[in-house]
Amino acid sequence: MSSERIIKKYPNRRLYDTEVSRYITLADVRNLVMGSARFRVVDAANDADITRSILLQIMLEEETGGEPLFSAPMLAQIIRFYGGTVQGVFARYLESSLDLFAQQQKQLTDAWGDSPLDAVTRMTKRNMDLWSELQDEFMRAAGIPVGGERPGDDDDQ
């Protein structure tokens, strides 16, 4: 298996996934994207790389299917960058920003676990343990037995 999956687009507008030897839909390509699969879409007639146009088509469907990610003013601003002297700089900036955002999102997800409630539960338990330890130390310092300790017990024995 190659490291990059090849999908061929035929003149009849159908997409053929060469790895699984079957026709697929744009929804299937979207699932590949969501699964972080490496793939490339090529025009079956001339082997031209058309991955970007397929991804843009998926984005267009996503934008029209519900809550849009891009507002009209944002899209207008992006269009203004085309052809300008900063187009390449803007593209690299946007890509770097999205990479950083994805990394931060992954770190937050890793830190929180499966749900925010789990994270709050873990933090609460940790805080309660720390508070209990602090109280125990305070009581010992005041000469008051803690838990199963008897007066005169030393931890250093």
Side-chain angles (χ1 to χ4, degrees), residues 12-31:
N12 63 3
R13 298 174 35 172
R14 294 188 72 187
L15 299 167
Y16 186 79
D17 186 338
T18 60
E19 186 170 302
V20 294
S21 301
R22 69 176 178 87
Y23 287 100
I24 62 173
T25 65
L26 280 179
D28 295 321
V29 176
R30 181 189 181 281
N31 290 337

Side-chain angles (χ1 to χ4, degrees), residues 19-88:
E19 186 170 302
V20 294
S21 301
R22 69 176 178 87
Y23 287 100
I24 62 173
T25 65
L26 280 179
D28 295 321
V29 176
R30 181 189 181 281
N31 290 337
L32 291 174
V33 171
M34 298 305 289
S36 299
R38 291 191 53 205
F39 67 91
R40 186 166 44 104
V41 182
V42 296
D43 188 324
N46 59 15
D47 281 338
D49 187 342
I50 57 170
T51 307
R52 286 182 63 254
S53 65
I54 296 299
L55 294 174
L56 285 168
Q57 198 173 345
I58 292 169
M59 286 180 66
L60 182 60
E61 283 187 5
E62 292 290 324
E63 284 290 306
T64 58
E67 186 69 28
L69 181 63
F70 298 106
S71 65
M74 179 190 285
L75 288 170
Q77 188 73 344
I78 291 171
I79 290 168
R80 288 184 197 108
F81 282 107
Y82 281 96
T85 56
V86 294
Q87 179 176 341

